[in-house]
Amino acid sequence: MKRFPIALILLSALLLTLSSCAPKSRVDSDALRGLSAESLQEMREEILSRHSDGSPLSDSETAEVELIREQERRLANGWIFGQWVDKHGARLIFRDDGTVSVGARRGAYDEFGIFKFFPAEEPSYETSWAVTYDVAGDPVVMVNARSGETLLYPFHKSRKEVYEMSGDLQTGAMTGFLFTKTQE
């Protein structure tokens, strides 16, 4: 009978020791929501300063730094935030936390640039977006489409309108949608 409490105490001590050795809380997109660019930079520098001796970052630290940099790129391109609408009603709502609402689509453009209505409307969905840069240094927004493909929005000259493409930066194909920023 006396062995049970001792075993319980030893088990509790072991669990306490293991929990203190567990990795610290990881950075995720929810933790980055609402932070300023300065706070993000401090977080990134804190991770990098742990390796000022030249030691390599762990896989999880590398992922955290990339997530922070992705959020920094979004904030650096804050003019993207808000609603963008195509003349046939398709819409995009970019948020500062890396989420985007892709609105319902009633049709698509064919290879000749003619809009064809679908028999049933494609429903809207929520996904994520990221900013990268093309070889000219212009921002390109990448959105994960429901179908698994990537939708690209290359902002070259204008910050008020953008053509939608599908594919990747090398072989993107125009979808025919031209999104215009709405005034808020």
Side-chain angles (χ1 to χ4, degrees):
M1 292 297 237
K2 294 189 181 217
R3 287 185 178 173
F4 179 71
I6 292 173
L8 186 61
I9 291 171
L10 288 175
L11 182 62
S12 299
L14 179 65
L15 288 174
L16 205 63
T17 303
L18 289 175
S19 68
S20 68
C21 294
K24 304 292 183 239
S25 63
R26 298 292 177 206
V27 175
D28 61 359
S29 56
D30 289 339
L32 300 179
R33 185 173 293 138
L35 293 180
S36 67
E38 293 80 20
S39 298
L40 293 169
Q41 183 177 1
E42 289 172 11
M43 289 174 69
R44 182 171 44 83
E45 288 173 355
E46 179 184 327
I47 294 170
L48 296 174
S49 69
R50 289 185 233 150
H51 299 278
S52 59
D53 60 352
S55 61
L57 274 67
S58 68
D59 290 343
S60 62
E61 289 172 323
T62 301
E64 289 174 9
V65 168
E66 183 52 37
L67 189 65
I68 292 169
R69 284 188 175 147
E70 189 174 293
Q71 183 67 6
E72 286 176 317
R73 285 190 297 267
R74 281 190 203 102
L75 292 179
N77 293 287
W79 51 268
I80 295 172
F81 304 153
Q83 182 166 282
W84 297 75
V85 180
D86 177 74
K87 66 182 174 184
H88 289 287
R91 67 170 172 70
L92 301 164
I93 301 175
F94 293 104
R95 300 183 195 96
D96 66 348
D97 65 353
T99 60
V100 59
S101 174
V102 179
R105 295 190 180 196
R106 296 178 186 95
Y109 292 90
D110 66 12
E111 63 273 8
F112 302 111
I114 299 170
F115 190 79
K116 304 283 183 169
F117 286 93
F118 296 141
E121 184 175 86
E122 284 184 0
S124 61
Y125 61 94
E126 293 285 323
T127 187
S128 61
W129 67 283
V131 175
T132 189
Y133 297 95
D134 62 12
V135 293
D138 294 323
V140 178
V141 173
M142 299 185 313
V143 172
N144 301 322
R146 178 181 283 156
S147 64
E149 67 182 348
T150 302
L151 298 174
L152 303 171
Y153 302 93
F155 292 94
H156 296 294
K157 297 174 187 160
S158 176
R159 300 295 188 243
K160 302 283 183 200
E161 61 184 24
V162 65
Y163 279 101
E164 180 182 80
M165 300 174 75
S166 65
D168 58 38
L169 290 173
Q170 302 295 321
T171 60
M174 302 290 279
T175 63
F177 287 94
L178 171 65
F179 289 92
T180 305
K181 177 85 183 236
T182 60
Q183 299 300 326
E184 297 174 10

